[in-house]
């Protein structure tokens, strides 16, 4: 039976090629992603090891409760401790460090590269006895010597197109600064090589920016020959002030940093795995369809094997052995292709904001085992049902007919099972349609319901094929007899047609459903941004811990084209054991920059001790105008009574409460600063010229964002756009595999109908008519899968839309007609394109040869 399986694989190698390609794509993404992940982790570890090469121990501030009250660990990291550590036995050299975050500005005023605090480093350049900093060796220019000079790493210089002598704009935590570039250094710090920046200052300037004069944020120690890191760490710890400083080995730091950066960039490896899962799931339908058709074609052969003594187990084993051989070939080809995927993924996933490390490919046992397990496992699993069908072939029944229609009992069982699943899936989705709560549990229930609905459509697809195809046949009937033949060919085996269309149905349902949710979300974000914002521009900080210099408000107000510039201080509001947000505003200017709808009271009465609250907060706390609310504003958290002077409808710009600007700003974590400036212009419209003047007014500070309404909507919809991009990628994979399935099905169908095509040619159908018949059949199959996919995807999007409404008050179900029409046209075009080769092969058959073939 093994020899028979091998012979069958070789005999049908052309027909199995499409199946091999489909499985190969999925295996390539799985193995390639795993190789990429292993290679990236190894590159991060190697880079971190190089960065901490020569550092045996690092002393950092401690946070132990044993520290004396009012004293922190940073206060002991001074020159006295540096000298003390230099005298510890086994210490060869001491390098103090003053590190922090420094964000550099690009030419357009935006943050250079990532703009993330963890990846934009500022540090002191600390030369050793030889005049060189061992951690940041110079490659060009010289080290910064005064507070007006700066050095950067090579990657930062290349990203910003900086040259020696250029003036660089940057900010650490406050007003913008300008420095002159005097040097370029090399670094192996994984935070920088993963897409960050590095700015080096002279020691005194770095201490002033990141610690305090005469203090450091850390002290690096180099071990003398023969002294181990653990041994030196113990000696250093014994001389440190208890609870106020701690010692960590260089190896431990390298491991921690590599793991930290790897965790922050781990999402890069998830995307290809999603593509792999979709490829394998959709490809499984192609495998099932291929082996089902092969079993049907070989019914006589199987019957003969059964007649000469082959058992059912042997017949089923033969089919599964064919699948295993096919899986082995697919796994090998997919693994080789996966190495190419792993090689190109850093370039595809890396951006100017998140570059990925360079390094050799690391091929461990995990990708090899995964490739074999996935390729062979999916193929064998998909071939299990056809193998059972083959095992049930009785010798006498098979000798009577090569093709037997499904029994009425099996059809009824399929219909009953499909209806039960359909009712269950629809019922779950309808029950969720009234729930306005986007909790994790509800989202999981929605995903489960959508999965059940998809399975129901797959089970019912053979039963739905006949009515849907007859409906579509009305359009193809306009092509005359050729159209009618195409329709009848698609109806000849509804199970085959349904299996071929299911792959396209799944990809279409995914894209249609998420396109509807994405489009509805974008529209909701647009309405939300426009509803509460009366200003034309919003100038805000990039992180909640930053603030805007109050003098920047005056410069913005004085800029040409600005009508109103209202400062807003955003501070936590502690009330009822929870944390809310209060916005400090100027009562005289708030009406010009916010669209507030007061149901009681007004903003004019805001002042010290008087606040206005949102309708939600008022409802939860039972508040009305004139009531007292005990709350704490900002750092102190000390509760004090506030009088409610107004209640307004929920407004995303205003937040939970409004207070007096002076009072709220004084309680902020950065006293005196504000977090937003709302700007209205003279013309009432945003323009590039006004935006540029506003960025100039705030000093092109990279820590600040200058956004008009359109930019606010784009930022809020960023994750939605990424999701849609992912879905279009999944659609591309689904379309490719669906096309392979259509090609495979039509090719085998043409082979089965060789005699029939010969008769048609003999009675007068020309080659063009044969080609048109095959193409129309493919379009009918594609239309069937597309219609089912659109129906399922749109219904699922409608049903789960209320969950989004729970997290986004202005969400409304809106159909993206353009996108849905594009999906339909693309699916039909795929069907027509997939039929090119089978149609050409059918048209090439000569009438006499075709009739003569069995």
């Amino acid at each position: 039976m093994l020899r028979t399986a091998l012979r069958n694989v070789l005999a049908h190698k052309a027909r199995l090629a499409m199946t091999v390609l489909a499985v190969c794509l999925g295996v390539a993404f799985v193995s390639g992603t795993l190789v990429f992940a292993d290679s990236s982790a190894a590159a991060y570890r190697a880079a971190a090891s190089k960065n901490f090469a020569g550092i045996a121990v690092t002393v950092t501030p401690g946070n132990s409760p044993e520290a004396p009250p009012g004293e922190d660990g940073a206060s002991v990291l001074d020159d006295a401790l540096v000298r003390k550590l230099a005298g510890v036995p086994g210490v060869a050299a001491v390098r103090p460090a003053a590190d922090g975050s420094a964000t550099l500005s690009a030419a357009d005023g935006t943050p250079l590269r990532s703009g993330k605090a963890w990846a934009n480093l500022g540090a002191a350049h600390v030369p050793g006895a030889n005049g060189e900093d061992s951690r940041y060796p110079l490659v060009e220019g010289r080290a910064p010597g005064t507070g007006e000079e700066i050095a950067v790493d090579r990657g930062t210089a290349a990203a910003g197109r900086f040259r020696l002598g250029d003036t660089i704009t940057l900010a650490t935590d406050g007003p913008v600064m300008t420095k002159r570039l005097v040097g370029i250094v090399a670094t192996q710090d994984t935070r920088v090589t993963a897409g960050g920046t590095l700015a080096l200052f002279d020691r005194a300037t770095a201490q002033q920016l990141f610690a305090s004069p005469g203090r450091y944020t850390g002290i690096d120690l180099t071990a003398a020959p023969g002294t181990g890191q653990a041994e030196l760490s113990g000696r250093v710890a014994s001389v440190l002030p208890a609870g106020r400083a701690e010692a960590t080995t260089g190896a431990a730091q390298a491991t921690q940093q590599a793991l930290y950066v790897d965790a922050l960039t781990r999402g890069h490896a998830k995307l290809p795995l999603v593509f792999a899962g979709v490829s394998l799931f959709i490809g499984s339908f192609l495998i099932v369809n291929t082996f089902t058709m092969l079993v049907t074609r070989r019914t006589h052969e199987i019957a003969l094997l059964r007649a000469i003594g082959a058992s059912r187990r042997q017949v089923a084993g033969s089919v599964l052995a064919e699948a295993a051989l096919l899986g082995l070939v697919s796994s090998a080809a997919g693994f080789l292709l996966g190495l190419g995927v792993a090689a190109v993924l850093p370039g595809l996933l890396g951006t100017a904001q998140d570059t990925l490390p360079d390094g050799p490919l690391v091929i461990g046992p995990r990708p090899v085992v995964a490739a074999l397990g996935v390729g062979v496992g999916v193929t064998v699993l998909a071939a299990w049902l056809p193998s059972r069908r083959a095992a049930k072939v009785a010798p006498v029944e098979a000798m009577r007919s090569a093709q037997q229609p499904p029994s009425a009992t099996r059809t009824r069982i399929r219909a009953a099972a499909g209806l039960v699943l359909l009712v269950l899936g629809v019922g779950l989705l309808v029950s969720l349609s009234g729930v306005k709560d986007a909790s994790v549990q509800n989202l999981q229930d929605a995903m489960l319901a959508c999965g059940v609905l998809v399975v129901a459509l797959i089970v019912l697809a053979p039963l739905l094929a006949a009515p849907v195809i007859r409906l579509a046949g009305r359009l193809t009937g306009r092509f005359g007899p050729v159209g009618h033949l195409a329709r009848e060919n698609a109806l000849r085996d509804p199970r085959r047609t349904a299996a071929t269309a299911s792959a396209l149905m799944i990809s279409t349902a995914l894209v249609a459903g998420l396109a509807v949710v994405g489009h509805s979300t974008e529209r909701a974000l647009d309405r939300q941004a426009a509803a509460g914002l009366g200003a034309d521009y919003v100038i805000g900080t990039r992180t909640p811990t930053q603030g805007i210099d109050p003098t920047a408000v005056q410069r913005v107000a004085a800029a040409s084209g600005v009508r109103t510039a209202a400062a807003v201080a955003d501070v936590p509001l502690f009330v009822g054991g929870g944390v809310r947000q209060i916005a400090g505003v100027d009562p005289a200017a708030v009406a010009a920059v916010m669209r507030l709808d007061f149901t009681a009271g007004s903003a004019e009465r805001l002042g010290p001790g008087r606040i206005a609250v949102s309708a939600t907060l008022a409802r939860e706390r039972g508040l009305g105008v004139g009531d007292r609310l005990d709350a704490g504003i900002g750092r102190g958290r000390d509760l004090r009574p506030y009088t409610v002077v107004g209640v307004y409808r929920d407004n995303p710009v205003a937040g939970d409460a409004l207070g007096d600007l002076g009072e709220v700003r004084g309680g902020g974590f950065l006293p005196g600063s504000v977090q937003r400036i709302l700007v209205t212009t003279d013309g009432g419209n945003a323009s590039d010229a006004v935006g540029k003047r506003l960025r100039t007014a705030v000093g092109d500070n990279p820590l600040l964002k200058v956004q008009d309404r359109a930019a606010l909507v784009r930022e809020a919809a960023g994750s939605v756009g990424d999701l849609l991009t992912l879905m279009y990628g999944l659609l591309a994979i689904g379309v490719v595999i669906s096309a392979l399935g259509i090609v495979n099905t039509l090719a085998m169908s043409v082979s089965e109908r060789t005699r029939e095509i010969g008769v048609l040619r003999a009675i007068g159908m020309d080659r063009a008519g044969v080609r048109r018949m095959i193409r129309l059949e493919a379009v009918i199959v594609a239309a069937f899968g597309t219609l089912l996919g659109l129906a399922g995807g749109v219904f699922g999007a409608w049903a789960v839309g209320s969950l989004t409404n729970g997290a986004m008050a202005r969400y409304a179900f809106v159909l993206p007609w353009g996108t849905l029409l594009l999906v339909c046209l693309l699916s039909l075009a795929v069907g027509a394109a997939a039929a090119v080769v089978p149609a050409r092969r059918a048209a090439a058959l000569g009438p006499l040869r075709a009739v003569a073939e069995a």
Side-chain angles (χ1 to χ4, degrees):
M1 296 303 293
L2 290 176
R3 287 196 299 269
T4 301
L6 180 59
R7 180 185 61 81
N8 285 328
V9 170
L10 296 176
H12 302 97
K13 54 182 179 295
R15 297 173 185 173
L16 295 174
M18 299 297 178
T19 306
V20 170
L21 183 56
V23 179
C24 180
L25 288 175
V27 172
F29 278 113
V30 171
S31 60
T33 301
L34 295 177
V35 171
F36 163 71
D38 291 344
S39 302
S40 296
Y44 282 131
R45 287 192 297 269
S49 298
K50 292 180 181 178
N51 184 44
F52 289 95
I55 299 178
V57 176
T58 294
V59 176
T60 54
N63 296 309
S64 172
E66 299 177 6
E71 296 186 9
D72 56 20
S75 64
V76 302
L77 302 187
D78 54 13
D79 290 323
L81 182 61
V82 170
R83 292 190 294 270
K84 184 177 182 180
L85 293 174
V88 173
V91 173
V94 180
R95 181 190 180 279
D99 301 337
S101 175
T103 306
L104 280 65
S105 177
D108 59 356
T110 60
L112 185 65
R113 304 187 83 174
S114 72
K116 302 170 185 174
W118 67 268
N120 293 285
L121 307 182
H125 187 274
V126 184
N130 60 355
E132 290 285 339
D133 189 329
S134 58
R135 190 166 187 179
Y136 305 117
L138 282 165
V139 295
E140 190 176 350
R142 60 177 178 82
T146 68
E148 303 302 318
E149 297 175 343
I150 193 177
V152 299
D153 68 287
R154 287 181 292 192
T156 300
R161 299 181 179 178
F162 298 141
R163 296 182 178 180
L164 295 181
D166 287 351
T167 298
I168 297 179
T169 302
L170 72 151
T172 54
D173 186 12
V176 69
M177 301 178 288
T178 57
K179 307 289 182 181
R180 186 166 62 89
L181 181 63
V182 297
I184 297 176
V185 303
T187 180
Q188 295 293 332
D189 195 309
T190 51
R191 293 168 294 181
V192 178
T193 58
T197 60
L198 172 65
L200 294 178
F201 307 87
D202 67 284
R203 185 184 304 195
T205 301
Q207 288 177 318
Q208 183 178 3
L209 291 174
F210 307 127
S212 60
R215 310 292 180 181
Y216 303 100
T217 58
I219 303 173
D220 298 329
L221 308 177
T222 302
T227 303
Q229 292 188 3
E231 179 185 0
L232 184 61
S233 177
R235 295 176 184 175
V236 170
S238 65
V239 302
L240 294 177
R244 298 176 62 190
E246 58 185 12
T248 307
T249 63
Q253 290 184 86
T255 301
Q256 292 173 2
Q257 188 175 107
L259 292 175
Y260 176 65
V261 176
D262 180 59
L264 292 172
T265 56
R266 191 172 297 163
H268 292 298
K270 294 180 180 179
L271 181 63
L273 284 178
V274 174
F275 283 85
V278 172
S279 300
L280 293 169
F281 182 64
I282 298 178
S284 63
F285 291 94
L286 174 56
I287 300 170
V288 171
N289 209 23
T290 300
F291 276 94
T292 300
M293 295 176 71
L294 288 176
V295 168
T296 301
R297 288 274 296 171
R298 287 155 40 195
T299 306
H300 282 294
E301 176 187 331
I302 294 172
L304 180 59
L305 291 174
R306 294 281 284 117
I308 64 176
S311 64
R312 292 188 174 187
R313 180 177 298 181
Q314 287 177 315
V315 171
S318 175
V319 176
L320 293 179
E322 292 180 43
L325 291 173
L326 193 69
L328 284 173
V329 174
S330 303
S331 299
F335 183 77
L336 294 177
L337 182 60
L339 297 181
V341 172
V344 302
L345 276 179
L348 294 176
L349 298 179
T351 64
Q353 287 72 36
D354 292 290
T355 57
L356 299 177
D358 294 327
L361 293 179
V362 177
I363 304 175
R366 186 175 64 152
V368 178
V369 173
L372 289 173
V374 169
V376 177
V378 169
T379 309
V380 172
L381 184 62
W384 180 68
L385 287 176
S387 71
R388 291 192 60 193
R389 181 181 177 187
K392 292 180 180 179
V393 173
V396 175
E397 292 177 358
M399 291 300 183
R400 292 173 182 170
S401 175
Q403 295 186 16
Q404 294 291 334
S407 65
T409 302
R410 291 182 59 186
T411 302
R412 286 193 294 268
I413 293 174
R414 175 185 283 270
L419 287 175
V420 169
L421 291 172
L422 183 64
V423 171
L424 180 60
V426 171
L428 286 174
L429 287 174
V430 171
S431 67
L432 290 170
S433 63
V435 178
K436 296 184 177 181
D437 180 12
S439 65
V440 174
Q441 183 61 49
N442 285 336
L443 291 174
Q444 290 176 347
D445 291 343
M447 293 177 63
L448 174 62
C450 289
V452 172
L453 179 61
V454 170
V455 174
L457 291 176
I458 293 172
V459 174
L460 291 174
L463 305 178
L464 297 173
V468 175
I469 290 175
R470 287 194 178 94
L471 179 63
R474 294 184 178 181
L475 298 177
T476 60
R478 299 190 177 188
F479 290 89
V482 171
H484 290 294
L485 287 172
R487 182 191 63 187
E488 294 305 317
N489 289 334
L491 288 171
R492 179 174 300 183
D493 191 342
R495 289 180 299 176
R496 177 192 302 175
T497 300
T500 304
S502 293
L504 193 58
M505 178 194 72
I506 294 170
S507 57
T508 302
L510 279 173
V511 175
L514 288 167
V516 171
V517 173
H519 181 71
S520 301
T521 301
E522 288 178 347
R523 295 289 297 274
L525 291 171
D526 194 2
R527 289 191 294 269
Q528 181 171 303
L533 182 64
D536 301 307
Y537 284 93
V538 176
I539 302 174
T541 60
R542 296 187 180 275
T543 63
T545 59
Q546 297 170 347
I548 303 176
D549 185 359
T551 60
V553 181
Q554 302 173 3
R555 295 195 301 271
V556 169
S560 175
V562 173
R563 175 184 299 175
T564 305
V568 180
D570 296 314
V571 174
L573 176 70
F574 300 93
V575 53
V579 181
R580 301 298 182 95
Q581 193 79 8
I582 185 170
V585 297
D586 180 0
V590 66
V593 295
M594 293 185 186
R595 295 177 180 174
L596 296 171
D597 184 7
F598 277 87
T599 58
S602 67
E604 297 176 357
R605 297 182 57 197
L606 290 174
R610 299 191 297 272
I611 64 173
V613 297
S614 67
T616 297
L617 182 58
R619 182 173 59 255
E620 292 178 356
R621 306 296 301 175
L623 299 173
V625 174
D627 291 342
R628 191 183 78 168
L629 175 67
D630 292 329
I633 294 179
R635 295 168 297 155
R637 302 190 183 184
D638 296 330
L639 300 183
R640 55 160 293 184
Y642 289 90
T643 301
V644 177
V645 297
V647 178
Y648 55 88
R649 298 186 188 279
D650 290 359
N651 187 308
V653 179
D656 300 307
L658 292 173
D660 178 71
L661 176 61
E663 182 178 32
V664 174
R665 183 168 57 185
F669 292 102
L670 297 173
S673 67
V674 297
Q675 282 66 49
R676 286 182 290 167
I677 306 175
L678 306 184
V679 180
T680 59
T681 60
D682 290 335
N685 295 315
S687 66
D688 292 339
V690 174
K692 185 175 181 180
R693 286 196 290 270
L694 293 178
R695 283 190 290 271
T696 302
V698 295
D700 285 328
N701 193 329
L703 297 179
L704 303 181
K705 299 181 290 185
V706 179
Q707 299 173 295
D708 58 15
R709 293 189 189 183
L712 289 170
V713 173
R714 286 195 301 270
E715 181 181 61
S719 58
V720 177
D722 294 340
L723 180 62
L724 290 179
T725 301
L726 170 62
M727 287 305 105
Y728 293 141
L730 296 179
L731 172 63
I733 291 179
V735 165
V736 170
I737 298 178
S738 301
L740 295 176
I742 295 173
V743 171
N744 211 27
T745 300
L746 290 178
M748 300 181 77
S749 178
V750 167
S751 177
E752 291 176 356
R753 288 153 38 199
T754 300
R755 184 185 296 273
E756 174 188 323
I757 294 172
V759 171
L760 292 174
R761 293 280 285 119
I763 63 176
M765 181 178 287
D766 57 9
R767 295 180 186 273
V770 174
R771 287 195 296 267
R772 190 178 304 115
M773 179 183 67
I774 301 299
R775 291 196 190 106
L776 288 175
E777 181 180 350
V779 169
I780 290 174
V781 173
F784 173 55
T786 301
L787 289 175
L788 284 185
L790 286 176
V794 172
F795 176 76
W798 169 80
V800 302
S802 61
L803 299 182
T804 306
N805 186 260
M808 190 177 301
R810 296 182 178 273
Y811 180 88
F813 180 75
V814 182
L815 289 176
W817 293 108
T819 301
L820 297 180
L821 178 60
L822 180 62
V823 169
C824 290
L825 294 177
L826 179 61
S827 298
L828 296 178
V830 166
V836 170
V837 174
R840 183 177 301 172
R841 179 183 175 188
L845 291 173
L848 295 178
R849 181 168 62 88
V851 173
E853 290 186 9

